[in-house]
Amino acid sequence: MKIARLVFNPIQENTYIVWDDTLQAAIIDAGNMGERENEILDKFLSDRGLKPVLAINTHGHFDHLLGVNHLVERYGVKFALSSKDEFLLKTASVSAELFGVRAGDLPEKIDIDMEGMPSIKFGDTELKIISTPGHTPGHVALYNPEAKVLFTGDTLFRESIGRTDLPGGDYSWIMRSIIDNILPLGDDVRIYPGHGEDSTIGHESMYNPFVVEVLNDEVNYKN
Ligand SMILES: [Zn+2]
């Protein structure tokens, strides 16, 4: 499995291109916005002979959605998101405006509802779907056990966590997601977040202040 990261849009969102020897590719959190960024993504794909088949979203925030319609229209990819985040699609354009971003066309419906699905496949690659609510109600992380790689979206960042003050966010839930569903995957698993640099679960257990204060029983996150 090969992974590349392109950073797009004014929110500096990480768009991941994931592919294997079949040259089928999934785009995780396509944040490309406007013609210039669409061209950067298209060129990346065509230079490597990749065929995108899926636009997989960890969650429904606008900065992770900006490039989905381009992929659907140009390549006919299927758009995968948890239906628990479908409500965010309706307000995505307005949310973008609040951040000063003119979003253009955003997806209005989900092709593949990942809620309750165990995994999603493309080419010879399978990504396990791990429910990680808290940043949004339908947030998922995507895990490839063979490569020991986890796409954490806006749940877990290098030495930080996602916001929980936006609609549908919940601090207790995001910490449960991290402590119960992410940390047990193992210290050597590499994480690829929705913003910022990659890391490992081991590094986050040691140096992420939000994780450390919970592991040290300094805050009660279960309320
Ligand atoms: Zn987000």
Side-chain angles (χ1 to χ4, degrees):
M1 191 175 81
K2 296 196 177 66
I3 300 164
R5 176 177 71 131
L6 297 173
V7 182
F8 285 138
N9 76 54
I11 317 292
Q12 296 286 288
E13 184 266 355
N14 289 335
T15 296
Y16 293 103
I17 301 113
V18 185
W19 71 99
D20 62 26
D21 292 339
T22 68
L23 299 184
Q24 286 198 11
I27 317 299
I28 298 177
D29 290 343
N32 46 296
M33 173 185 158
E35 263 179 47
R36 194 185 65 85
E37 291 186 349
N38 290 348
E39 276 172 25
I40 290 170
L41 178 57
D42 290 338
K43 183 169 188 319
F44 184 95
L45 296 166
S46 63
D47 282 353
R48 289 157 187 80
L50 301 179
K51 179 182 166 25
V53 292
L54 286 173
I56 308 175
N57 267 65
T58 58
H59 65 296
H61 280 156
F62 78 88
D63 52 322
H64 297 246
L65 289 173
L66 290 162
V68 169
N69 269 15
H70 172 71
L71 291 169
V72 170
E73 282 160 21
R74 177 157 180 148
Y75 303 101
V77 306
K78 298 277 185 238
F79 171 45
L81 176 74
S82 161
S83 54
K84 285 191 177 168
D85 269 15
E86 196 164 23
F87 75 102
L88 291 166
L89 301 181
K90 296 177 177 63
T91 53
S93 294
V94 176
S95 304
E97 273 173 39
L98 292 175
F99 281 83
V101 174
R102 297 191 70 167
D105 273 0
L106 293 175
E108 288 169 12
K109 67 169 186 62
I110 299 169
D111 297 315
I112 300 169
D113 177 9
M114 291 194 290
E115 190 59 39
M117 266 173 63
S119 67
I120 188 161
K121 294 174 195 146
F122 60 95
D124 291 332
T125 301
E126 180 169 13
L127 297 172
K128 292 191 185 302
I129 299 165
I130 298 175
S131 176
T132 53
H135 178 66
T136 64
H139 197 293
V140 300
L142 301 155
Y143 181 47
N144 184 265
E146 291 78 28
K148 289 187 176 284
V149 158
L150 180 72
F151 298 94
T152 55
D154 288 1
T155 297
L156 184 62
F157 300 127
R158 183 179 176 88
E159 298 178 15
S160 189
I161 62 171
R163 294 173 64 165
T164 55
D165 59 332
L166 297 168
D170 186 282
Y171 169 76
S172 178
W173 276 105
I174 200 171
M175 292 318 303
R176 285 166 196 256
S177 292
I178 293 167
I179 303 294
D180 298 342
N181 298 345
I182 292 182
L183 298 192
L185 297 175
D187 286 351
D188 55 343
V189 170
R190 183 152 289 278
I191 66 161
Y192 291 90
H195 302 272
E197 297 301 315
D198 55 279
S199 181
T200 61
I201 289 180
H203 181 90
E204 298 315 305
S205 316
M206 290 284 285
Y207 300 111
N208 186 312
F210 297 91
V211 174
V212 170
E213 69 180 1
V214 161
L215 293 178
N216 288 348
D217 277 333
E218 289 161 7
V219 290
N220 176 14
Y221 68 99
K222 292 188 173 173
N223 285 329

